[in-house]
């Protein structure tokens, strides 16, 4: 009725509004991005200002518009700031919209599948190294213990759900008829026996699922006989997660 466009939803656990935008004081919106990524995901809207209500009137979030800074911003710059500040890196989609002759900017923040997103360095006065932020109705703040626990519980539940099909198949086959393939290190093992898998074969591992270990016309099958070689204790490949120059020298001298 006043002729002013406003954002109907206001600020919630999925929406946060900012009057302005800039990379110079980016801690204000970086904190909000991390908070949304750690909750349900949501929208960070620039060019919308909260007008505090008076005499019993509710606050409104009016469209005030932005300069061209957001529309002309390089998407790579957003990614650089996010990667340098958080781990894992939040994923955002960027769009500029014109409403009533005024431009607003929108960041759509996706819920991160590997939550929690943690700050790895200080940025301005609002982002502190080691802190985890969470989006609550009307504010982005440090996460509460109960919400952090809920994130870990959900992650554990999902991990168990992903493992159940494999565990059920192992139970059907029995421990003497099954081995576990470690695709990261290229080994097959059952606790007593171990095989080393070459890189060329690892690239074909996907054929196991497609062929289901049965011969089908026109369907690629993984050939195991002759492609796997048993490794005894003397020829066992040793892999370290972290190698120092001293490790390299010692292994060279010992011909390992």
């Amino acid at each position: 009725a006043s002729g002013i466009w406003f954002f109907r939803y206001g600020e919630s656990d999925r929406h946060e509004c900012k009057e302005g935008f800039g990379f110079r004081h980016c801690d204000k919106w970086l904190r909000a991005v991390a908070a949304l990524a750690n909750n349900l995901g949501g929208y960070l809207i620039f060019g919308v200002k909260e007008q505090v209500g008076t005499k019993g009137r509710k606050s409104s979030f009016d469209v005030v518009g932005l300069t061209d800074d957001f529309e002309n911003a390089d998407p790579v710059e957003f990614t650089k700031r996010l990667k340098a500040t958080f781990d894992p890196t939040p994923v955002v989609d960027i769009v500029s919209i014109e409403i009533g002759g005024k431009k607003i900017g929108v960041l759509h923040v996706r819920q991160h599948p590997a939550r929690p997103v943690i700050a790895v360095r200080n940025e301005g006065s609002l982002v502190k190294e080691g802190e985890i932020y969470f989006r609550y109705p009307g504010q982005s703040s440090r996460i509460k213990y109960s919400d952090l626990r809920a994130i870990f519980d959900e992650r554990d539940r999902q991990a168990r759900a992903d493992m159940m099909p494999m565990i059920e198949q192992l139970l059907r086959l029995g421990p003497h008829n099954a081995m576990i393939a470690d695709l990261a290190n290229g080994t097959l093992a059952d606790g007593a026996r171990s095989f080393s898998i070459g890189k060329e074969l690892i690239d074909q591992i996907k054929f196991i699922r497609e062929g289901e270990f049965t011969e089908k016309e026109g369907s690629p099958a993984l050939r195991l006989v002759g492609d796997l070689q048993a490794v005894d204790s003397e020829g066992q490949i040793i892999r370290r997660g972290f190698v120092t120059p001293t490790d390299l020298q010692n292994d060279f001298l010992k011909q390992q």
Side-chain angles (χ1 to χ4, degrees):
S2 63
I4 299 175
W5 287 90
F6 65 96
F7 183 54
R8 180 177 59 185
Y9 294 106
E11 290 198 329
S12 68
D13 59 349
R14 298 202 65 189
H15 309 94
E16 180 160 343
C17 300
K18 300 290 184 186
E19 180 180 358
F21 167 79
F23 286 116
R24 174 169 293 185
H25 301 291
C26 59
D27 57 321
K28 296 179 180 179
W29 56 265
L30 282 173
R31 181 185 177 111
V33 168
L36 289 166
N38 280 327
N39 194 355
L40 300 172
Y43 300 87
L44 181 57
I45 305 171
F46 300 95
V48 174
K49 181 180 180 181
E50 180 180 7
Q51 304 290 354
V52 180
T54 58
K55 296 181 180 179
R57 294 178 58 188
K58 293 183 178 180
S59 299
S60 64
F61 293 83
D62 297 348
V63 174
V64 295
L66 290 172
T67 63
D68 293 333
D69 292 345
F70 186 91
E71 188 175 23
N72 297 329
D74 187 351
V76 175
E77 189 65 26
F78 286 96
T79 303
K80 285 173 56 178
R81 299 298 177 104
L82 292 170
K83 288 180 66 175
T85 310
F86 300 110
D87 184 43
T89 305
V91 180
V92 300
D93 303 297
I94 308 164
V95 65
S96 180
I97 304 172
E98 184 172 320
I99 296 179
K102 297 178 180 179
K103 296 178 181 177
I104 65 170
V106 180
L107 289 184
H108 171 240
V109 184
R110 306 181 196 178
Q111 182 190 64
H112 205 289
R115 306 179 292 165
V117 173
I118 305 174
V120 296
R121 72 170 189 177
N122 295 331
E123 182 65 50
S125 61
L126 297 179
V127 177
K128 300 298 181 183
E129 181 181 0
E131 290 190 345
I132 302 172
Y133 304 107
F134 196 78
R135 183 64 189 174
Y136 296 98
Q139 64 174 336
S140 297
S141 60
R142 293 174 60 185
I143 194 168
K144 297 178 180 178
Y145 170 78
S146 58
D147 296 306
L148 181 60
R149 178 64 182 269
I151 289 176
F152 287 135
D153 288 346
E154 172 61 21
R155 191 164 67 177
D156 291 343
R157 186 203 65 78
Q158 186 61 48
R160 289 193 297 270
D162 293 341
M163 291 176 62
M164 280 307 298
M166 291 184 287
I167 294 174
E168 291 173 355
Q169 186 171 359
L170 286 172
L171 291 174
R172 286 196 301 269
L173 292 173
H176 301 294
N177 298 321
M179 301 185 77
I180 296 176
D182 184 343
L183 301 185
N185 292 322
T187 59
L188 279 172
D190 63 358
R193 297 168 297 171
S194 178
F195 297 94
S196 179
I197 309 174
K199 182 180 184 304
E200 297 78 7
L201 189 58
I202 290 179
D203 294 338
Q204 302 175 42
I205 282 292
K206 61 181 179 292
F207 296 152
I208 288 180
R209 294 178 180 174
E210 189 170 349
E212 294 292 337
F213 290 105
T214 60
E215 186 174 353
K216 296 180 180 178
E217 185 176 357
S219 178
L222 180 65
R223 185 168 61 90
L224 297 177
V225 178
D227 287 335
L228 297 181
Q229 181 179 1
V231 178
D232 56 23
S233 59
E234 294 181 356
Q236 187 174 4
I237 299 173
I238 301 174
R239 291 179 173 84
R240 294 187 178 91
F242 179 77
V243 181
T244 67
T246 302
D247 292 331
L248 293 175
Q249 295 171 3
N250 290 337
D251 286 353
F252 173 76
L253 293 174
K254 297 175 183 178
Q255 294 296 293
Q256 293 181 347

